[in-house]
Amino acid sequence: MDTDSRAKAQRFADLHREGCFLLPNAWDVGSARILEAAGFPAVATTSAGVAFSLGRTDHDFFAEQPAEDRVDRETMLRRVHEIAGGISVPLSADLEDGYGESPETVATTVARTLAAGAAGGNIEDFTGDRTRPLYDEKLSADRIRAARETLAADGEPFVLVGRTDVLLVGGPLDEAVRRANTYLEAGADCAFVPGAADAKTIRTLVRELDGPLNVVMGLTGNALSHDDLRELGVRRVTVGGSIARAMYRHLLDAARELADNGTFSYAADQLSQTELNDLFRQG
């Protein structure tokens, strides 16, 4: 890791020590640079946004998502490398389940993500198998532990996030708390519990977890604000694929207007060529 990348990674780690920061999710260099220009201190990737940009599906059970539709590790890491090299703020990578079940595979994925220029990354316990939607808790902890040991051997800053999808698959909050704490104990720097979107649930997580909490907002236009989440004790807030989905909503509306009406009102609110050139101009 070069000096600049190390400094970015350390800045990202420092963001997790106190306060509550917004970490919006990009899917390509252009979206990341727009988020950077808005003043965010760091950017994350969204596996959903990357998948959609490739015309593929995201985060589904294998029976509903054929293997050829899933974004593989090589493709995702290329995109991570492109985005990390295209912005001057730290990048955190959505690494899904680490692209394999074994702890050794997860450790390799995290090591390669660090080499690609990312300052952090998430590892989730969602399997994609409807018969066992979550990896066994002990195995999940071993996967986090293997990633942490690899990072420790490298000696470079990297924020490792342990994500549990208990709530997304209909499991109870107490299991989400237990799993998140297990991942923190195994070496995660931050816990991520998607599906926690109301004040009562988030307050419980903050109280019961032995480390900082990431929550994801924007999935349903949730009424809680950044200020609300700060007051609840959340450490960082991501938005998942919601910005990408909003962009595709506009694209679909424009396509339908053109196809159905032959009109062009969709263009009324577009960014100008000059504005985009200014946003993307290097230096």
Side-chain angles (χ1 to χ4, degrees):
M1 181 181 283
D2 60 37
T3 302
D4 180 60
S5 296
R6 187 176 298 109
K8 285 198 293 186
Q10 189 57 58
R11 289 203 310 274
F12 188 56
D14 291 343
L15 286 170
H16 293 75
R17 302 193 191 286
E18 60 181 359
C20 177
F21 71 100
L22 290 170
L23 182 66
N25 302 75
W27 56 94
D28 59 15
V29 176
S31 58
R33 294 196 68 184
I34 287 175
L35 294 173
E36 178 185 11
F40 293 103
V43 174
T45 65
T46 158
S47 65
V50 173
F52 300 152
S53 75
L54 295 167
R56 302 186 188 182
T57 56
D58 173 71
H59 202 277
D60 209 345
F61 290 101
F62 293 148
E64 291 79 28
Q65 184 183 25
E68 60 269 21
D69 284 354
R70 296 179 70 85
V71 178
D72 60 74
R73 182 168 69 182
E74 298 303 318
T75 302
M76 187 63 73
L77 290 181
R78 279 197 301 270
R79 186 65 61 90
V80 168
H81 179 69
E82 291 170 0
I83 297 173
I87 56 177
S88 61
V89 296
L91 179 70
S92 184
D94 179 351
L95 300 174
E96 300 186 282
D97 74 335
Y99 301 98
E101 179 169 342
S102 74
E104 294 78 14
T105 298
V106 173
T108 298
T109 295
V110 169
R112 292 188 58 188
T113 303
L114 175 66
N122 306 343
I123 297 295
E124 65 193 44
D125 55 12
F126 179 69
T127 65
D129 183 349
R130 195 175 289 280
T131 64
R132 53 158 197 145
L134 302 178
Y135 287 115
D136 173 80
E137 190 170 329
K138 182 182 181 303
L139 173 60
S140 295
D142 288 342
R143 286 153 45 84
I144 296 292
R145 188 173 295 108
R148 173 51 63 199
E149 289 172 354
T150 295
L151 291 167
D154 191 275
E156 300 290 357
F158 188 94
V159 176
L160 179 63
V161 179
R163 166 174 159 166
T164 179
D165 283 16
V166 169
L167 300 183
L168 293 185
V169 300
L173 181 58
D174 60 348
E175 182 182 355
V177 169
R178 189 184 67 245
R179 280 179 172 263
N181 275 331
T182 297
Y183 304 162
L184 288 165
E185 184 179 0
D189 299 295
C190 182
F192 180 16
V193 187
D198 63 277
K200 181 180 178 182
T201 300
I202 292 170
R203 187 177 293 111
T204 299
L205 287 168
V206 170
R207 183 181 66 246
E208 298 294 332
L209 294 185
D210 300 325
L213 172 67
N214 179 105
V215 297
V216 58
M217 293 286 114
L219 303 186
T220 59
N222 192 282
L224 291 175
S225 69
H226 183 204
D227 287 342
D228 295 330
L229 295 166
R230 182 187 294 111
E231 288 297 317
L232 288 168
V234 172
R235 185 56 48 82
R236 80 179 201 181
V237 183
T238 50
V239 296
S242 62
I243 299 177
R245 287 191 294 271
M247 292 282 291
Y248 281 105
R249 169 79 271 170
H250 290 299
L251 174 60
L252 182 59
D253 287 346
R256 285 175 172 166
E257 180 186 355
L258 284 168
D260 297 343
N261 305 326
T263 57
F264 312 96
S265 66
Y266 70 88
D269 295 326
Q270 67 182 294
L271 285 170
S272 71
Q273 187 88 353
T274 299
E275 287 175 299
L276 282 170
N277 283 343
D278 287 343
L279 279 168
F280 296 148
R281 187 168 284 115
Q282 296 289 336

